[in-house]
Amino acid sequence: MIEALHYTFVQNALISAIIVSIISGIIGSLILVNKMTFLTGGIAHSSYGGIGLAIYFGLPIFLGATIFAVISALIVAFISFKQKHRIDIFIGIIWAVGMAIGIVFTDLTPGYNVDLMSYLFGSILAVSKSDLLYMSILLIVVLFFVHKYYYQILATSYDSEYAMLKGINAKLFFTLILILSALAVVVAIKVVGLILVIALMTIPTYIAEQISNSLYGMMIRSAIISTIFTIVGLIISYKFDITSGASIILTSAFGFFIYLIYVKLKKI
């Protein structure tokens, strides 16, 4: 693997792995404490509609996926406030419709033979300089909002009613969390794909939650754990020539089971 670092595409893959892992660690923590894994899954899959539209109109893939994901997040936020008891139905609709739109526009694109696997299961070795720029900007955006509004986000995440009593606009910050989650999902798609993105957001975060006493500590530990899993998965992917997304998630799952065994043995 050391000699492979001389190649630009491997360098890009490694840098993107670190950036996405930090973003996933931070946003994954918010997803976990807000109990909205299913919501994020719906947003992730709906973003494929943006990918299809971007391919059809010749736009940057990240741009199309981002716009579609953010719109989906806003729809989910609006429905959560109005009909929270029926949110699962609307998430399912957004999930299916987004995927369908993406597939239809991809089929309608003349002369374009899209590699669905790269979007469904990731293609980290195909990360470009422009992709890295987008990821870096998003990382700065995430760090800015989480740092600036940490206490508002913390209060909203753990007790929205208490937050409102303290004068915090819980609806606004819940929407902000959803939008940041949508943006995080978009960049993670490049690394592990639509199908596996939720695992990247939740496995490291679950482990971090068990060994942390605060949301801040949870974010830091989750980012570190996610980085380790992603880099190890990338190395295995390169060494055995297998799909990077699947390799990263299987590495995370292996680490997860090792942790569970450690906890079990510790109790004996």
Side-chain angles (χ1 to χ4, degrees), residues 9 15 46 57 61 115 163 170 186 192 242 259:
F9 73 93
I15 295 171
S46 71
F57 290 106
I61 299 297
D115 180 13
V186 170
V192 296
I242 57 179
Y259 172 76

Side-chain angles (χ1 to χ4, degrees), residues 110-267:
Y112 191 86
N113 184 21
V114 65
D115 180 13
L116 288 176
M117 292 290 286
S118 65
Y119 298 115
L120 296 178
F121 299 103
S123 183
I124 192 173
L125 294 177
V127 171
S128 64
K129 291 291 185 182
S130 59
D131 293 336
L132 284 179
L133 177 61
Y134 182 93
M135 293 176 180
S136 300
I137 292 172
L138 178 58
L139 176 59
I140 293 171
V141 169
V142 169
L143 291 175
F144 171 78
F145 279 105
V146 171
H147 174 72
K148 184 173 180 62
Y149 300 108
Y150 175 76
Y151 292 105
Q152 292 91 331
I153 290 173
L154 176 68
T156 301
S157 298
Y158 283 100
D159 193 336
S160 59
E161 292 183 1
Y162 172 77
M164 287 187 286
L165 289 174
K166 297 292 287 184
I168 297 172
N169 190 334
K171 291 183 179 181
L172 174 63
F173 284 101
F174 178 73
T175 302
L176 174 63
I177 292 169
L178 274 177
I179 292 173
L180 292 177
S181 299
L183 295 174
V185 160
V186 170
V187 296
I189 286 172
K190 192 71 176 182
V191 176
V192 296
L194 287 170
I195 304 298
L196 306 174
V197 66
I198 297 305
L200 181 66
M201 296 282 186
T202 53
I203 294 176
T205 306
Y206 174 81
I207 298 173
E209 181 188 39
Q210 304 303 307
I211 57 177
S212 304
N213 297 319
S214 67
L215 178 60
Y216 182 76
M218 182 178 169
M219 289 177 174
I220 294 175
R221 290 178 177 85
S222 180
I224 293 172
I225 295 170
S226 182
T227 300
I228 293 171
F229 287 162
T230 304
I231 292 177
V232 172
L234 179 60
I235 293 171
I236 293 173
S237 170
Y238 180 84
K239 185 174 180 61
F240 295 99
D241 191 24
I242 57 179
T243 304
S244 57
S247 176
I248 291 169
I249 297 306
L250 286 176
T251 300
S252 302
F254 179 77
F256 174 69
F257 286 118
I258 292 297
Y259 172 76
L260 291 181
I261 292 171
Y262 167 76
V263 171
K264 189 70 174 179
L265 292 175
K266 193 176 180 179
K267 291 180 179 179

